[in-house]
Amino acid sequence: MIKNRLNDLSSKDWIKFQKSWFVLNPAPRQKDVLVHPAKFPEKLVEEFIKFFTKSGGVVLDPMAGTGSTLLACIASGRVGIGIELSEKYAKVAKRRIDEAPWPDAGAKSGERTKSELSPLLLEGDARELERFDLPEIDYCITSPPYWDMLNVKGAKTQRDRAKAGLDVSYSQDERDFGNIEDYGKFLDEIVSVFAKVHDVLKERAYLTIIVKNIKKKGKIYPLAWDLGKRLGEIFALKDEKIWCQDDQRLAPFGMGSAWVSNTFHHYCLNFRKE
Ligand SMILES: C[S@@+](CC[C@H](N)C(=O)[O-])C[C@H]1O[C@@H](n2cnc3c(N)ncnc32)[C@H](O)[C@@H]1O
């Protein structure tokens, strides 16, 4: 029998997670989180948390948005810590935490009590990670703003959201990574946050970043690959998992003249502190 030092999964569940891609079409979002322009599904983050930690482990999301990671921590018996810049989304996250159903704590989390496992949502700038006095972290998973793409006018989804009175960008705050116009500066600042995450992670703990390569005004900015390269100098870069969506409407970009993909996949980039 192989000793499992990483998680509490059976060999069967472990091997299932080892496939390098998965298809997940997020369920329609509930009203309380619809206001946020780009959240990731709790089911997705829960599977990563269950692979990269054991019950009771401490999980950090430094750009927590509506708190999906923290809800996944409640469901899986881990201790979630989130940092979020926007007061508005932090409020949504706190309300969701208050209303979340708790699983049977005894069975799922090694006898830890609800109060020990209660998530913590901190409001502020992830650049100042060291100011939050965080404990040692067993795993970090997050999804940063995809550069300033939400500020690019003209996309149909953006028009539809504006019409419905929903947010089309995260905030007007100049500390918001989604408001940095220069790609190089954006990359540098995101990398500097993960360098600070490296300081609080336990030795041999993992970091997962969910991100996409970006297409802006006909030019490709390979954000996922750039992060792989830059963060591979701080962490050990491990294999990615590719998240595919196959429920999106195809558009005839470039038809008859050029190759332009309908990009329906995200990279879940995995790094390890070694
Ligand atoms: C892609 S969203 C994360 C969504 C989240 N995973 C969820 O499921 O709701 C990125 C988040 O980063 C936040 N953010 C932007 N700049 C930040 C900063 N400097 N510090 C902390 N959070 C920031 C945004 O407000 C936004 O909620």
Side-chain angles (χ1 to χ4, degrees):
M1 188 73 175
I2 300 168
K3 188 170 180 326
N4 185 349
R5 289 192 208 91
L6 185 61
N7 56 44
D8 304 322
L9 296 181
S10 64
S11 314
K12 198 172 151 199
D13 288 336
W14 178 298
I15 205 151
K16 264 197 218 157
F17 190 85
Q18 280 183 306
K19 198 162 72 179
S20 63
W21 59 271
F22 58 98
V23 178
L24 177 65
N25 298 319
R29 290 210 253 152
Q30 303 208 319
K31 223 172 160 189
D32 60 343
V33 290
L34 209 54
V35 65
H36 190 282
K39 74 178 282 297
F40 54 36
E42 287 74 22
K43 185 172 177 315
L44 182 159
V45 71
E46 195 176 327
E47 291 201 356
F48 276 77
I49 287 172
K50 283 182 175 164
F51 189 86
F52 287 111
T53 60
K54 284 181 174 286
S55 274
V58 181
V59 178
L60 172 69
D61 184 342
M63 291 160 241
T66 57
S68 310
T69 301
L70 306 184
L71 264 78
C73 284
I74 292 177
S76 56
R78 272 66 168 176
V79 186
I81 302 178
I83 299 172
E84 170 56 44
L85 183 69
S86 150
E87 195 185 333
K88 180 173 174 180
Y89 301 141
K91 231 186 228 168
V92 173
K94 281 181 188 157
R95 196 179 58 237
R96 295 180 75 213
I97 292 166
D98 287 345
E99 293 170 359
W102 279 76
D104 171 9
K108 290 229 171 178
S109 56
E111 304 303 323
R112 285 184 176 230
T113 63
K114 189 169 162 178
S115 67
E116 278 179 280
L117 291 171
S118 279
L120 184 63
L121 196 274
L122 303 160
E123 257 180 75
D125 188 345
R127 291 177 187 82
E128 298 175 353
L129 202 86
E130 68 281 7
R131 290 187 46 199
F132 293 103
D133 204 17
L134 299 174
E136 270 201 317
I137 303 294
D138 293 298
Y139 177 48
C140 175
I141 181 164
T142 196
S143 178
Y146 291 3
W147 185 24
D148 66 346
M149 287 308 287
L150 294 177
N151 293 340
V152 177
K153 306 272 180 288
K156 183 177 176 312
T157 36
Q158 297 292 79
R159 283 201 304 272
D160 292 348
R161 285 185 63 88
K163 237 191 257 167
L166 300 170
D167 292 355
V168 288
S169 63
Y170 300 124
S171 70
Q172 303 302 316
D173 194 318
E174 60 178 25
R175 296 170 301 166
D176 182 336
F177 297 120
N179 290 331
I180 302 176
E181 264 179 54
D182 181 77
Y183 179 71
K185 184 167 189 285
F186 165 77
L187 197 58
D188 286 348
E189 296 208 4
I190 292 281
V191 166
S192 76
V193 168
F194 292 114
K196 291 187 178 182
V197 167
H198 185 271
D199 293 342
V200 293
L201 271 185
K202 282 188 186 156
E203 205 55 46
R204 301 190 67 72
Y206 286 88
L207 157 70
T208 299
I209 305 176
I210 299 173
V211 79
K212 230 177 177 174
N213 287 334
I214 287 170
K215 210 178 282 170
K216 187 174 170 184
K217 296 185 182 145
K219 186 173 167 193
I220 302 293
Y221 296 84
L223 176 58
W225 303 342
D226 285 340
L227 280 176
K229 183 155 182 5
R230 293 281 300 274
L231 291 175
E233 291 160 11
I234 302 170
F235 295 84
L237 172 63
K238 302 294 175 184
D239 290 344
E240 74 278 12
K241 262 172 94 78
I242 296 181
W243 166 25
C244 304
Q245 287 175 263
D246 66 359
D247 61 347
Q248 312 267 306
R249 190 189 293 262
L250 287 159
F253 303 129
M255 190 170 274
S257 63
W259 156 245
V260 185
S261 82
N262 279 268
T263 310
F264 299 156
H265 67 277
H266 303 247
Y267 291 84
C268 306
L269 300 174
N270 300 307
F271 301 88
R272 195 178 205 183
K273 177 170 175 173
E274 288 182 353

